[in-house]
Amino acid sequence: MSDTTERARTLGALRPQTWPISRRWLVLVPLSFALAVLLILMKLPAALLLGPMAAAILMASQDGTVRIAPPVFVTYQGIVGAMIAINLPVSIFPEMATDWPVFLLGTLSTLLASSLLGWLLSRSGALPGTTAIWGSSPGAATVMTLMSEQFGADMRLVAFMQYMRVVACAVVATLVSRFLGHGGGSVTEHFFAAPASWTAVATAVAIALIGAYAGVRLKIPGGAMLTPMVLGMLLKVFTPLDLELPPLLLAVSYAVVGWGIGMRFSASVLRYAGRVFPRVLTSILALILICGGFGTILMLVTGVDPLTAYLATSPGGADSVAIIAASSKVNMPFVMTMQIARFLCVLIAGPALARLLSKSRPG
């Protein structure tokens, strides 16, 4: 009897759900570092995002979740937003005005393709009510998840679908980047490099913090990332000030974003969604494939390189795509213009489109 009790205690001690929060962090951080280093050695871009994300999913799948405090998550989303602003030249605005049909068609094609796949998944009866349609909406994952419950969808399954898509798109985009020969990011090459100007760093961090918290306070969808990005761009356009972020700070920001995404895959959500996983995964892969086709058309029409075209049409999250683009040799302004245009389109048209399609679902 004592041996059985001792064995049960030993097995329990090995289960992450029995660990105190401090021990979970002591496992999560080194595991994230090890996986990131492994991916760096494989010369995969966005290794500093995907390593922590994979570690968080592994922990969360065993009920070993850790809570990223909202202020911390908001802060590092703001850093990513500032990073996007730094990488976007001011020429993006005339380029968008000149090529607006390309950006409009690229955005609408992805939105319509995802809506059609969600409608088909809903008609199959695999998911209840409007869940499939809300879960298939491309981009704005957190916003769509939170809004879905107000329209009768199962928020748990919507969250599962949304973040499964974000992870799948991040992994596929990373592999595509690697195989197209654009791997290797500046963040990993000069990890501890000192910035050229600490004044530029302080300015960028201030923009990140002010913008992120203003965006949250004003309840702007995706404001934690979008508002610092907009403020940073305005600063670049109307002032002579420079913006710069140290690679080490970016690495920490990528890790926090990766943890924030990965930790949403709790064991209860994964168990609940297990029965529809094959159909959901098939739908996500189909969307990635369709968007890859749109990317091919975009490449032929505009003459951009294949990876730029692929990332521009990737239906993943704008933050993860931004990190992958920043660590790859692509036309980042083009990629982020398309991504942000789609993000705004989803925020504006997504709810109305979901309601319209859900009405046509047989009861």
Side-chain angles (χ1 to χ4, degrees):
M1 189 70 178
S2 60
D3 290 343
T4 303
T5 302
E6 184 63 28
R7 190 179 299 110
R9 288 178 179 174
T10 301
L11 291 175
L14 295 175
R15 294 171 182 166
Q17 65 265 37
T18 66
W19 297 348
I21 297 299
S22 58
R23 185 176 179 184
R24 295 181 189 184
W25 277 111
L26 287 174
V27 172
L28 177 63
V29 173
L31 180 60
S32 300
F33 180 80
L35 291 176
V37 169
L38 177 62
L39 295 178
I40 290 171
L41 293 176
M42 295 170 63
K43 297 186 177 180
L44 291 177
L48 300 177
L49 169 74
L50 293 180
M53 185 188 298
I57 292 173
L58 287 173
M59 293 284 291
S61 67
Q62 300 299 314
D63 281 332
T65 57
V66 295
R67 181 175 177 270
I68 306 296
V72 173
F73 196 56
V74 167
T75 295
Y76 287 109
Q77 279 184 295
I79 296 294
V80 173
M83 179 273 290
I84 296 173
I86 291 170
N87 284 277
L88 290 179
V90 295
S91 60
I92 186 175
F93 300 109
E95 287 179 9
M96 179 183 272
T98 302
D99 297 326
W100 68 265
V102 172
F103 291 110
L104 180 62
L105 290 175
T107 296
L108 292 179
S109 60
T110 303
L111 180 60
L112 292 176
S114 64
S115 299
L116 176 60
L117 288 171
W119 181 73
L120 292 173
L121 195 59
S122 178
R123 283 184 64 87
S124 72
L127 294 164
T130 63
T131 299
I133 297 169
W134 283 94
S136 298
S137 178
T142 301
V143 178
M144 291 297 106
T145 298
L146 296 176
M147 291 178 64
S148 65
E149 192 172 36
Q150 303 172 17
F151 295 93
D154 189 318
M155 191 169 67
R156 293 173 301 172
L157 277 177
V158 171
F160 167 75
M161 293 177 66
Q162 286 285 343
Y163 289 100
M164 178 62 71
R165 189 198 73 248
V166 170
V167 172
C169 288
V171 172
V172 172
T174 299
L175 293 176
V176 169
S177 177
R178 176 69 179 91
F179 288 125
L180 287 178
H182 292 276
S186 58
V187 171
T188 61
E189 290 173 1
H190 305 288
F191 195 66
F192 295 104
S197 168
W198 284 106
T199 301
V201 171
T203 304
V205 171
I207 287 293
L209 294 176
I210 294 171
Y213 285 96
V216 172
R217 186 65 181 268
L218 295 173
K219 298 183 179 179
I220 298 173
M225 183 182 73
L226 279 182
T227 308
M229 183 192 71
V230 172
L231 290 179
M233 286 301 299
L234 290 174
L235 201 69
K236 289 174 66 174
V237 171
F238 296 108
T239 76
L241 295 176
D242 292 326
L243 300 176
E244 186 177 358
L245 289 170
L248 185 58
L249 177 59
L250 286 174
V252 174
S253 302
Y254 297 165
V256 173
V257 171
W259 290 335
I261 294 172
M263 284 300 170
R264 295 177 188 272
F265 287 83
S266 65
S268 60
V269 171
L270 291 174
R271 285 194 297 267
Y272 186 83
R275 63 182 180 85
V276 296
F277 176 77
R279 295 188 187 184
V280 170
L281 182 60
T282 299
S283 176
I284 291 171
L285 294 178
L287 179 60
I288 293 174
L289 185 61
I290 291 171
C291 290
F294 292 150
T296 301
I297 297 173
L298 190 66
M299 178 186 67
L300 296 175
V301 171
T302 64
V304 298
D305 66 272
L307 184 57
T308 293
Y310 178 81
L311 290 177
T313 56
S314 172
D319 49 1
S320 58
V321 171
I323 292 170
I324 294 170
S327 59
S328 306
K329 298 175 183 177
V330 297
N331 184 343
M332 188 167 181
F334 188 93
V335 171
M336 292 314 302
T337 300
M338 187 74 79
Q339 286 287 331
I340 293 165
R342 193 190 69 226
F343 179 84
L344 296 175
C345 186
V346 168
L347 291 181
I348 295 169
L353 193 57
R355 288 195 298 269
L356 176 64
L357 292 175
S358 63
K359 289 179 181 178
S360 63
R361 182 184 181 275

